Amino acid sequence: MISKRLEFGLFVRFILLLGMMYITLEYLTQYTWLQVTSGILIMLAQVWEMARYVTRSNNELAKFLEAVKHRDFSQRFNENTNSSLQQLHHTFNLINNTFKQLHIEREAQFQYMQTILQLVDTGILAVDRETGEVEWVNDAFKKILGIPYLKSINSLENRYPALHESLRSIKPGESIQVKLRLPAGQSQLLVSATPFTMQHRNLQLIVLKNVSATVDATETEAWQKLLRVMTHEIMNSVAPIASLADTLGKHLHNERERYTSDPETPLDVELLEDTEEGIGIIKKRSEGLLRFTQFYRNLNKQQQLNLTTIYVQELFKSIDALMRPRLEEQSIEFICKTASPELTINGDVNLLEQVLINLITNAERAVKDRPNPQIILTGQQKDGKLTIELYDNGSGIPEEILESIFIPFFTSHKDGSGIGLSLSKHIMHLHKGSIQVESQEDVGTTFILTFSS
């Protein structure tokens, strides 16, 4: 249809051009130069119009291809013309609409995938393998590291040198663990890398996952299993000892009375008193150990906490009354303060008191031989979460053992059991909270208890 219209238009224009040539020649034989000149100009105009008529479809095609090149799908071609370009314009508009629809669908898919990647709690980063420039990064990645933006992984070198080295050296398909001190505390990160190519560029997709919570859950499960074994064995061993010690104590008491009533019977009173005193000590220690194991066994079996609304100020008053006399005997300054009397926790008051007692006892040991020993207990609201901090200006915790202090039965003190901090961490997990530590040798230590809102 288009070719027929084009041919008909060319035929008409060619006939008109021949007619004008004939008329011009007629005037030329009559030496009428004004008419000849006018005829020549008209013929030139006809030739120019014919050339424009032939090439305008090519011009329209070039305009359309230029629009496609620049992805300008908003351009429309006039279909309300009677020229041979009507069908061509219609075809251009159809193609334009198709490209536009494909672009909209692809943009929608991109936005959909980007929204999903922004919502996941796993950090995702696309980076150029050669230059280290960041192509795309989701909010979770920046939130984990506590940074507002990231243009290049080289910018991590000063803040997180270990992570920077891992990102530069990680091999495609490899997964490695990195320990970092993040704004939220000491954490373990799992870093994975997957290579891909886009637009002839070698890129790498890096996935960052904070596995501290998973490690903590595994550690707690192992701690509970070990605790069940420990309590079972100790209970089986200690219960008969306590019973035997009680029976022997009664027999020795009776024998002492009998020998006292009959002086003729030889009796080593001093030995009898020592034996009785020793058995009393054994009985006392055995009963204490029984209470110890019974408490931890009950805690291990406990599935639900005795939750109540606890005012932090009242909790601190209770701890202050319990610990201050003991600390004052050692000339240790003890300060309790809250940012507001309205601060509350939804928790088990007995277990939380046990956590604070354990932490204060450790702080007492840390400041024992320090000048101007001081322990400060504070409660405040931070980032929408309640935090309790215990600071001491003690000797601090060596960095090489800082990550191990919450491991059950780990202790750096000769008289320590290694139970207190692991138990405190377990109690905080029961409360859906966390416990972190910041320490510097010869400066002091701060334990931070964070409760979820």
Side-chain angles (χ1 to χ4, degrees):
M1 184 68 178
I2 295 176
S3 60
K4 290 182 178 181
R5 286 189 178 183
L6 181 63
E7 291 171 356
F8 179 76
L10 286 175
F11 176 76
V12 171
R13 283 165 174 77
F14 185 70
I15 294 298
L16 292 175
L17 180 61
L18 289 178
M20 184 56 62
M21 291 176 61
Y22 176 78
I23 294 173
T24 302
L25 289 174
E26 286 293 327
Y27 282 123
L28 183 62
T29 58
Q30 299 175 10
Y31 299 100
T32 55
W33 297 106
L34 178 61
Q35 289 80 357
V36 171
T37 303
S38 300
I40 293 174
L41 292 176
I42 292 173
M43 284 190 295
L44 291 176
Q46 286 180 320
V47 171
W48 178 83
E49 196 278 335
M50 183 182 298
R52 190 182 67 83
Y53 178 78
V54 173
T55 60
R56 63 177 176 172
S57 59
N58 292 336
N59 293 334
E60 293 293 312
L61 180 60
K63 186 191 300 184
F64 172 74
L65 294 177
E66 187 71 16
V68 172
K69 176 182 177 181
H70 293 94
R71 299 184 181 183
D72 180 14
F73 306 117
S74 61
Q75 187 172 356
R76 304 296 297 176
F77 295 87
N78 185 18
E79 298 182 26
N80 299 322
T81 178
N82 295 323
S83 67
S84 61
L85 297 178
Q86 181 181 10
Q87 189 172 357
L88 184 64
H89 285 179
H90 177 70
T91 304
F92 285 168
N93 287 334
L94 287 178
I95 298 175
N96 219 2
N97 291 336
T98 302
F99 274 114
K100 187 175 181 179
Q101 186 62 31
L102 291 174
H103 178 73
I104 292 174
E105 292 177 358
R106 188 176 66 175
E107 185 67 23
Q109 291 177 353
F110 174 77
Q111 293 295 336
Y112 177 72
M113 293 302 299
Q114 192 172 39
T115 301
I116 293 177
L117 294 176
Q118 291 289 6
L119 290 176
V120 297
D121 60 353
T122 300
I124 302 175
L125 174 75
V127 61
D128 191 305
R129 277 189 282 174
E130 297 179 358
T131 65
E133 295 297 318
V134 173
E135 295 291 323
W136 185 86
V137 59
N138 69 344
D139 292 338
F141 194 99
K142 295 181 286 187
K143 185 177 180 181
I144 291 174
L145 299 182
I147 54 178
Y149 60 90
L150 184 63
K151 293 184 177 180
S152 172
I153 61 174
N154 294 326
S155 60
L156 298 173
E157 186 174 6
N158 293 330
R159 181 176 292 188
Y160 302 114
L163 178 61
H164 173 261
E165 179 61 28
S166 299
L167 295 180
R168 297 296 298 181
S169 61
I170 191 170
K171 298 179 181 179
E174 185 182 13
S175 296
I176 58 178
Q177 283 193 12
V178 182
K179 295 181 180 179
L180 292 181
R181 182 175 293 277
L182 300 174
Q186 192 75 21
S187 301
Q188 294 189 48
L189 303 180
L190 181 65
V191 183
S192 304
T194 302
F196 68 100
T197 302
M198 184 176 66
Q199 296 179 346
H200 308 290
R201 298 175 61 198
N202 295 324
L203 303 178
Q204 189 157 253
L205 191 69
I206 296 176
V207 177
L208 193 68
K209 181 71 174 178
N210 191 335
V211 296
S212 295
T214 305
V215 173
D216 289 342
T218 304
E219 178 184 301
T220 301
E221 183 181 359
W223 180 80
Q224 290 176 336
K225 291 179 180 179
L226 180 59
L227 192 58
R228 284 197 294 268
V229 175
M230 183 192 73
T231 53
H232 179 267
E233 294 300 323
I234 293 179
M235 290 288 289
N236 288 344
S237 301
V238 173
I241 295 176
S243 177
L244 179 60
D246 185 51
T247 302
L248 290 177
K250 291 179 180 179
H251 284 312
L252 286 174
H253 179 71
N254 293 335
E255 288 296 318
R256 181 180 180 183
E257 290 183 349
R258 188 175 68 81
Y259 283 121
T260 302
S261 62
D262 186 3
E264 295 181 359
T265 303
L267 178 65
D268 190 344
V269 178
E270 184 178 356
L271 177 61
L272 187 60
E273 291 177 350
D274 291 342
T275 304
E276 187 176 2
E277 181 181 0
I279 292 177
I281 293 174
I282 293 174
K283 183 175 182 294
K284 183 179 179 180
R285 295 295 183 186
S286 300
E287 290 174 348
L289 188 55
L290 281 172
R291 287 194 298 270
F292 171 85
T293 54
Q294 185 68 33
F295 168 76
Y296 287 118
R297 184 175 66 177
N298 291 339
L299 178 62
N300 181 56
K301 292 180 179 179
Q302 187 170 349
Q303 298 297 323
Q304 293 184 348
L305 301 175
N306 183 19
L307 297 176
T308 58
T309 299
I310 307 168
Y311 281 88
V312 177
Q313 191 175 61
E314 295 299 321
L315 175 64
F316 283 9
K317 285 182 179 179
S318 175
I319 295 297
D320 184 83
L322 181 65
M323 303 300 296
R324 184 172 294 279
R326 175 176 168 179
L327 297 174
E328 287 183 346
E329 288 180 359
Q330 304 177 64
S331 300
I332 299 175
E333 182 183 8
F334 184 46
I335 300 174
C336 290
K337 57 184 180 181
T338 59
S340 169
E342 303 301 322
L343 293 179
T344 59
I345 306 172
N346 188 32
D348 189 314
V349 63
N350 293 321
L351 294 183
L352 293 180
E353 283 183 353
Q354 185 65 43
V355 172
L356 294 179
I357 291 172
N358 288 343
L359 296 180
I360 293 173
T361 301
N362 288 344
E364 175 189 350
R365 184 187 294 113
V367 302
K368 185 176 182 180
D369 299 323
R370 302 283 289 182
N372 302 318
Q374 186 182 62
I375 299 175
I376 302 176
L377 181 64
T378 60
Q380 57 188 318
Q381 200 84 9
K382 279 187 178 181
D383 300 327
K385 296 183 179 180
L386 179 72
T387 61
I388 294 177
E389 297 186 4
L390 183 75
Y391 165 79
D392 68 73
N393 61 347
S395 56
I397 304 174
E399 186 175 356
E400 59 268 17
I401 67 170
L402 192 62
E403 298 178 3
S404 305
I405 61 175
F406 292 109
I407 297 176
F409 309 111
F410 174 86
T411 179
S412 60
H413 302 283
K414 294 181 180 180
D415 56 344
S417 63
I419 293 293
L421 288 178
S422 59
L423 174 64
S424 299
K425 186 173 184 178
H426 178 61
I427 292 174
M428 289 302 297
H429 282 174
L430 291 177
H431 285 81
K432 308 301 181 183
S434 65
I435 179 171
Q436 302 288 341
V437 59
E438 297 177 357
S439 184
Q440 187 174 351
E441 287 191 80
D442 297 325
V443 175
T445 301
T446 301
F447 281 90
I448 305 170
L449 309 179
T450 304
F451 297 86
S452 58
S453 55

